[in-house]
């Protein structure tokens, strides 16, 4: 398969996937990739270094683990020794098929990875009709840059160890790929409606006053852990809710504009859930607290400045109760 044909398959898959709901880098999504690598042969083969071009397809078993299979063909491989009357070096044909597991680190646009698996290599044998076949162990590392929710660029290095010849060979190259077909995260369940007690017998209507308590928790960049200075504010809100057991609240998470919409949506949900769990840990019944993430859609400050982005990385909640005036 020629490289231009492989790239054509990737572009065709991108057009076919344009109508699909896309959640990149999630469990259940699929990646297809076209790659080109510089191939450094083992010295015992008496071959010059060449290239390996081909394609691969993978399936995300989890948000971080990708199972990948691929096939490449060798280009520009020639023997170092010269043959025949014209004293030319002989061209060598061959291919490399592989299956590997790839583990990705972190979240967001840049994702480093490590990989490991097995490969089967076939090369022409000089002056013979049969082929040199060997099974190889693969290990590699590199980084992917997700340009958007669909497309990514990849650069990496792979080392291959042949079991049959005890040879070690290297490959370094780049790839262009497409990610599509992931499943969207389930929406948070709404809190159940509070149970309304039976109306008591008519009494003289007391004078009531509304009391409101608001919570504003700020977060560090790309983090969902609660900073220590906001624990007292969360405890105060929990005590208020335990004092007035009929009130409920919705915890709303937000992010700044750095990163993709999909990643920021998930980050805002994780922040909201972190504050919700903190309220529950302080003794508030789980049915009285719900959580929702708004991503970067509701800024309260200018995302063009550090100070503005710091204000937008927040979780907000408020409760209101009617208190009898004595």
């Amino acid at each position: 398969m020629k490289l231009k044909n492989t790239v054509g398959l990737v572009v065709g898959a991108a057009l076919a996937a344009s109508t699909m709901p896309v959640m990149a880098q999630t469990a259940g999504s699929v990646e297809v990739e076209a790659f080109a690598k510089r191939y450094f042969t083992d010295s015992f083969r008496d071959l010059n270094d060449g290239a390996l071009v081909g394609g691969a397809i993978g399936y995300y078993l989890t948000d971080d683990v990708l199972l990948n299979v691929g096939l490449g063909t060798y280009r520009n491989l020639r023997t170092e020794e010269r043959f025949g009357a014209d004293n030319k070096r002989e061209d060598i044909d061959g291919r490399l098929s592989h299956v590997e597991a790839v583990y990705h680190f972190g979240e967001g646009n840049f994702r480093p990875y490590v990989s490991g698996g097995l490969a089967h290599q076939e090369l022409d044998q000089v002056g013979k009709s049969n082929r040199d076949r060997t099974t190889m162990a693969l290990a590699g590392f590199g980084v992917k840059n997700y340009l958007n929710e669909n497309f990514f660029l990849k650069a990496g290095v792979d080392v291959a160890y042949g079991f049959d010849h005890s040879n070690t060979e290297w490959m370094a190259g780049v790839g262009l790929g497409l990610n599509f077909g992931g499943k969207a995260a389930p929406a948070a369940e709404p809190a159940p409606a509070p149970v309304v007690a039976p109306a008591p017998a008519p009494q003289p209507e007391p004078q009531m006053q509304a009391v409101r308590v608001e919570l504003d928790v700020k977060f560090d960049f790309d983090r969902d852990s609660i900073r220590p200075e906001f624990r007292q504010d969360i405890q105060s809100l929990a005590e208020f809710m335990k004092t007035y057991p009929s009130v409920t609240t919705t915890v709303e998470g937000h992010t700044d504009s750095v990163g993709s919409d999909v990643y920021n949506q998930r980050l805002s949900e994780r922040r909201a859930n972190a504050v919700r769990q903190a309220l529950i840990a302080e003794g508030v019944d789980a049915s009285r607290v719900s959580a929702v993430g708004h991503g970067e859609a509701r800024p309260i400050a200018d995302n063009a400045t550090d100070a503005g982005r710091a204000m937008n990385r927040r979780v907000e909640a408020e409760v209101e109760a009617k208190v009898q005036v004595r």
Side-chain angles (χ1 to χ4, degrees), residues 304-320:
T305 66
D306 290 341
R309 290 191 293 273
M311 294 181 64
N312 290 331
R313 298 192 293 267
R314 70 196 190 280
V315 165
E316 298 173 330
E318 64 179 33
V319 294
E320 182 175 305

Side-chain angles (χ1 to χ4, degrees), residues 18-74:
S18 61
T19 59
M20 299 180 182
V22 175
M23 294 291 288
Q25 311 168 58
T26 59
S29 65
V30 175
E31 281 193 356
V32 292
E33 173 196 354
F35 61 78
K37 302 179 181 181
R38 181 65 174 172
Y39 170 58
F40 302 96
T41 65
D42 190 270
S43 59
F44 93 95
R45 296 184 182 277
D46 292 326
L47 301 176
N48 68 306
D49 297 334
L52 181 71
V53 296
I57 184 169
Y59 179 80
Y60 272 90
L61 302 177
T62 71
D63 289 355
D64 299 317
V65 179
L66 174 74
L67 184 62
N68 199 35
V69 295
L71 175 65
T73 58
Y74 292 106

